[in-house]
Amino acid sequence: MSTYIESKINQLLQDIPQGVVVLASWLHAKGYSYELQRRYKESQWLESIGNGALKRKGDTIDVYGALYAMQQAAKNVHIGGPTSLQLQGFSHYIKMGDKKVYLFSEKKFNIPKWFKQYVWREIPIMMKRNLLPPNLGLVDFQHQKFSIKISSPARAILECLEMSPAQFDLVEASQIMEGLNTLKPNDVQLLLEQCTSIKVKRLFLFLAEKSGHSWFNYLKLERINLGAGKRKIVENGVYNAKYQITVPKSLML
C-alpha cells in the first residue's frame, strides 16, 4: 500500500469513532474515492455490512452506530419515545432484556436497504411520523465513543402519547410525566405549538396539570391549538371536560 493510501486511512481512522457505521457516499464526499474504499476493504481496514455501508474491520456495531451514520448523512431520523426516556433515566417500565430501540423519522423517510437487511443485536422499531418538525427538541446523547441525536424528555413524552393507547400504556405515560418536573416551559411551549396532533396536546396538558408541575403554570395555553370537539382516547373511560378527552378511569382518581 502506498504512503498516500496509508496516510489517508490513518486520517480516516482518527476521524471516525469506533463502533459506528460509515456510509460509502459520506466517505466519497470527504475525499475518499470509491476506488480508495475498495482498496481499504481489500487491505482489511474496512469491511462492508451491506450495499453502501461499511465499518472498521473487527468492530462490533449496533443500532446506535447505524444511527450515527444516518445522522452524519443529514438524515432526519433519531431515537425517541420510550427508548429516549429510558436512556435519560426517566422510564423504568421497560423489562430487563428488552432490546427494542424506537427510531422516529418523517413519513417520507426511506429506510436504507443495508439497515433493513443487517441482523442487529437490538430490535429497531421504525416510527414514521409527522408529529413535530424533525430537528425540534433533540439533544446530544453520548453512546460509547460517539454522540447521536435523541429526543429530549419533553419531545419523547409527546412521542409516547402519540403511540398511546395502542402502542404505549397511558398509565405508564402518566407515571413518567410525574417525574418530568424539570422541563423548561419555553421548550414545552414551542413543542406544543408545533405539534400536529390535537390528541397528543390535550393528553400532555391533562397529564402535566394532573402532575402539578410548576412549569405548567408558565405555559400560554391560548397560543396552543387544541382543536374542537371531543376525543375518545379509550373505551369505557372517564370524560375530562376541560380537555374534552375520555381517559382511563385510573387517571381520574
Side-chain angles (χ1 to χ4, degrees):
M1 183 181 289
S2 70
T3 302
Y4 170 76
I5 294 177
E6 287 188 14
S7 175
K8 289 284 284 184
I9 189 62
N10 288 334
Q11 183 62 50
L12 175 61
L13 296 178
Q14 290 178 28
D15 289 344
I16 61 172
Q18 288 183 328
V20 304
V21 176
V22 185
L23 300 185
S25 57
W26 182 84
L27 286 174
H28 188 268
K30 294 292 183 180
Y32 297 89
S33 69
Y34 293 118
E35 172 62 21
L36 197 55
Q37 294 177 43
R38 183 185 64 79
R39 293 190 185 186
Y40 289 159
K41 287 188 285 184
E42 289 177 350
S43 301
Q44 297 192 347
W45 288 102
L46 299 174
E47 60 181 327
S48 175
I49 66 163
N51 187 29
L54 309 101
K55 70 179 183 70
R56 291 169 183 256
K57 182 71 173 180
D59 255 11
T60 298
I61 56 173
D62 56 20
V63 168
Y64 302 91
L67 179 63
Y68 175 90
M70 289 187 278
Q71 290 184 345
Q72 288 292 306
K75 303 296 185 183
N76 289 323
V77 56
H78 65 273
I79 285 176
T83 307
S84 182
L85 289 167
Q86 183 193 32
L87 291 174
Q88 295 174 87
F90 289 101
S91 175
H92 305 289
Y93 71 92
I94 297 179
K95 297 177 182 178
M96 293 296 292
D98 191 339
K99 295 184 177 181
K100 294 187 181 71
V101 176
Y102 287 87
L103 300 172
F104 285 75
S105 71
E106 295 176 288
K107 286 186 177 180
K108 64 181 181 181
F109 178 69
N110 292 318
I111 305 170
K113 188 175 181 180
W114 60 264
F115 182 83
K116 291 190 289 185
Q117 293 182 339
Y118 193 79
V119 180
W120 302 103
R121 294 178 296 169
E122 306 85 1
I123 304 172
I125 309 294
M126 182 61 69
M127 311 293 290
K128 291 190 174 186
R129 302 288 192 269
N130 289 331
L131 181 69
L132 290 158
N135 295 312
L136 183 65
L138 300 182
V139 296
D140 292 318
F141 179 78
Q142 189 70 27
H143 177 73
Q144 297 179 8
K145 295 184 178 181
F146 56 91
S147 177
I148 54 176
K149 295 287 186 182
I150 69 174
S151 291
S152 66
R155 177 169 181 140
I157 190 64
L158 288 169
E159 291 167 337
C160 287
L161 292 174
E162 199 276 337
M163 295 165 60
S164 299
Q167 297 170 284
F168 194 87
D169 186 74
L170 278 172
V171 174
E172 292 171 351
S174 179
Q175 293 170 346
I176 293 170
M177 178 65 83
E178 290 175 0
L180 299 179
N181 60 330
T182 59
L183 299 187
K184 296 179 180 179
N186 288 342
D187 294 342
V188 174
Q189 182 75 38
L190 182 58
L191 286 166
L192 291 174
E193 289 182 20
Q194 295 292 316
C195 182
T196 61
S197 171
I198 299 300
K199 178 198 85 169
V200 168
K201 289 183 283 190
R202 291 187 191 184
L203 277 172
F204 181 94
L205 292 171
F206 165 70
L207 294 177
E209 185 174 25
K210 178 177 178 292
S211 297
H213 293 315
S214 58
W215 51 258
F216 177 85
N217 300 318
Y218 294 93
L219 297 179
K220 299 176 178 61
L221 302 187
E222 70 278 3
R223 287 166 44 183
I224 302 170
N225 178 16
L226 296 178
K230 301 176 181 179
R231 298 290 193 279
K232 182 182 287 187
I233 310 300
V234 297
E235 297 291 337
N236 302 316
V238 177
Y239 181 68
N240 176 270
K242 180 173 181 178
Y243 296 106
Q244 295 183 289
I245 51 176
T246 301
V247 297
K249 296 177 183 178
S250 58
L251 296 185
M252 295 294 287
L253 299 178

